[in-house]
Amino acid sequence: MDSEKTFESIPDDLFLEIFSRLSSILIARCRCVSKRWASILYRKDFTELFLTKSSARPRLLFAVDKGFQFYFYSSPQSQNQSTLEVDFHTNVGVGINENLCSYESGLIHVHVTDLWLSKKSLCVICNPITRRYVNLPELDKYKDSRSSLGFDPIDKQFKVLFMHNNGEWVHHVLTLGTEDLRWRKIQCPFTYGHFGLAKCINGVLYYLASTFGGSSGRIVCFDVRSEKFKFIDGKHFSSTSYTDLINYKGKLGGVNLDYDCDRSCYCEMYLWVLEDVEKQKWSRYDYSLPTTQTCHFRFDMHIAGMTATGEFVFAEFHTCSSKSFNVIYFNPEKNTLQSVNIQGLEGNNGYMYSRVNTFVDYIEDLSANDLKHITSKPRQRRDTSRELSRSAPSTKNKQTRSFLQNKYELLANLE
């Protein structure tokens, strides 16, 4: 069988179906095989089909902070197995930081708050799957500074919002993928202090803030597309208690956890959901989560988020060589708990105690892969805790065609 003629005769709809089942790394390589392949694989309908396929197989993403490096792993977001192995993706050296790490639509954002021999603040954007990253232009370093990554689903644009306190809070914005990668100063009508991590939902960045010297909560909303600010009364939250912001079925949710060790670490979860942004109407839900034989809640557990299928995911803040790392799924509709042991994170790189950032519904998005500037490839250090789970595919066009030819024949037989 002549593979060249066979591929030219494949209908476009079957061609798209075959390629949508590949990883984003293979897609990037296939775009270099021929002009025809590139023209199809850069089309908007293929990008959307790939995102749909990827959304059907979400993963848990783990960013492990080892002091001078962030190591990125992922595992299937599955509750059908009690034990899961992680896949190692890449590591990025970012200096010393305060664990300010966030995820949005396929990209990881790291805010570096302290660098040795440096007087600058630094933001790093990384794609764990493609192992590409970019250091954003440096800004003057201040004691209080925060930055967050937002994504506009309409224009398919990523933007970074940077805030620092210079007697008052000053705001800058940077748009990824533009010819001129630079910070632009923007005006914010609020002078609230920022605390906690931001959450981007449907193109709006939400972050908790408070008035100077006060404990009353505010939620600042930043529209990624229009770059306009507004605030919501966050009277249910305060700067004196820890609140996790989550995406609750497309709405903003705020979660507080209360542990009671006198009752075997009995966990109370208080959830507030913003039902109406304009009317600032909130709904409250209370859940009691007792420790079971297989699900043990600890003080160092937090809400990593809510999956697209409606389960809350609890994860530990830290991992160490002396104990395993666990995540717990809570289904509020069925009132069930399921614990999953994640193997491959403990004892990493000689560090006995490492901070873990856990993100739910991690998917591959070609929009993130196609951004300009995210082209630097970090020097890879071997993950000393375990070998890579799989070797990288060959980059040769002939081998790529052979691999896809087998995919095509398999699908043809299924038809």
Side-chain angles (χ1 to χ4, degrees), residues 96-307:
I96 302 174
N97 58 75
E98 293 181 356
N99 305 298
L100 300 178
C101 180
S102 60
Y103 161 76
E104 185 59 44
S105 300
L107 294 181
I108 282 288
H109 164 260
V110 179
H111 180 96
V112 183
T113 56
D114 189 16
L115 296 172
W116 280 3
L117 305 178
S118 174
K119 296 182 179 180
K120 301 290 183 179
S121 290
L122 179 65
C123 297
V124 178
I125 304 295
C126 174
N127 187 326
I129 294 295
T130 62
R131 303 179 180 181
R132 302 285 181 172
Y133 79 104
V134 61
N135 294 326
L136 301 186
E138 295 180 344
L139 289 168
D140 290 338
K141 184 171 66 179
Y142 296 91
K143 182 178 180 181
D144 295 324
S145 64
R146 294 287 189 276
S147 60
S148 302
L149 177 65
F151 178 69
D152 170 25
I154 298 177
D155 291 339
K156 303 294 183 182
Q157 275 194 333
F158 291 88
K159 294 183 181 180
V160 181
L161 175 65
F162 187 96
M163 299 157 276
H164 63 80
N165 186 3
N166 186 23
E168 62 179 4
W169 285 94
V170 181
H171 299 73
H172 291 80
V173 168
L174 181 144
T175 302
L176 295 175
T178 57
E179 292 294 338
D180 187 11
L181 195 64
R182 63 183 180 87
W183 294 103
R184 295 176 284 106
K185 187 175 181 180
I186 61 174
Q187 296 298 318
C188 177
F190 314 118
T191 58
Y192 305 136
H194 179 284
F195 67 93
L197 293 175
K199 188 67 180 179
C200 188
I201 304 174
N202 297 327
V204 178
L205 266 173
Y206 299 92
Y207 62 90
L208 290 167
S210 66
T211 56
F212 288 107
S215 61
S216 59
R218 298 285 189 276
I219 297 177
V220 177
C221 312
F222 174 73
D223 188 288
V224 177
R225 191 181 190 194
S226 66
E227 300 183 2
K228 301 297 184 183
F229 291 88
K230 67 178 179 180
F231 86 93
I232 298 172
D233 187 2
K235 59 183 178 182
H236 310 298
F237 318 111
S238 70
S239 59
T240 58
S241 62
Y242 190 83
T243 300
D244 283 302
L245 298 182
I246 66 169
N247 184 338
Y248 180 85
K249 301 178 181 179
K251 301 176 182 179
L252 176 66
V255 178
N256 289 105
L257 300 178
D258 184 16
Y259 293 97
D260 187 350
C261 277
D262 293 335
R263 293 188 289 171
S264 302
C265 278
Y266 196 92
C267 178
E268 298 282 354
M269 185 175 78
Y270 308 105
L271 168 68
W272 291 92
V273 178
L274 183 60
E275 302 287 358
D276 191 310
V277 177
E278 298 302 324
K279 296 181 180 179
Q280 302 194 16
K281 179 182 177 181
W282 295 82
S283 295
R284 175 172 170 168
Y285 304 89
D286 296 347
Y287 301 98
S288 297
L289 310 175
T291 294
T292 66
Q293 186 174 2
T294 57
C295 298
H296 302 280
F297 290 97
R298 301 185 177 96
F299 276 109
D300 64 344
M301 297 195 94
H302 70 113
I303 289 287
M306 187 181 196
T307 68

Side-chain angles (χ1 to χ4, degrees), residues 100 365 387:
L100 300 178
D365 189 347
E387 296 293 336

Side-chain angles (χ1 to χ4, degrees), residues 16-23 53 57 407 411 414:
L16 295 178
E17 181 64 27
I18 294 172
F19 281 78
S20 66
R21 303 187 183 197
L22 305 181
S23 69
K53 294 281 188 179
R57 48 179 188 267
K407 283 272 186 181
L411 285 175
L414 290 176

Side-chain angles (χ1 to χ4, degrees), residues 9-58:
S9 63
I10 299 177
D12 280 3
D13 56 347
L14 182 56
F15 189 95
L16 295 178
E17 181 64 27
I18 294 172
F19 281 78
S20 66
R21 303 187 183 197
L22 305 181
S23 69
S24 60
I25 295 179
L26 274 176
I27 295 299
R29 291 168 180 162
C30 290
R31 285 170 168 174
C32 301
V33 170
S34 70
K35 291 183 179 180
R36 177 176 181 262
W37 286 25
S39 65
I40 296 176
L41 298 180
Y42 274 109
R43 277 168 29 183
K44 182 179 179 181
D45 58 340
F46 174 72
T47 300
E48 293 176 349
L49 175 62
F50 185 88
L51 182 59
T52 300
K53 294 281 188 179
S54 182
S55 299
R57 48 179 188 267

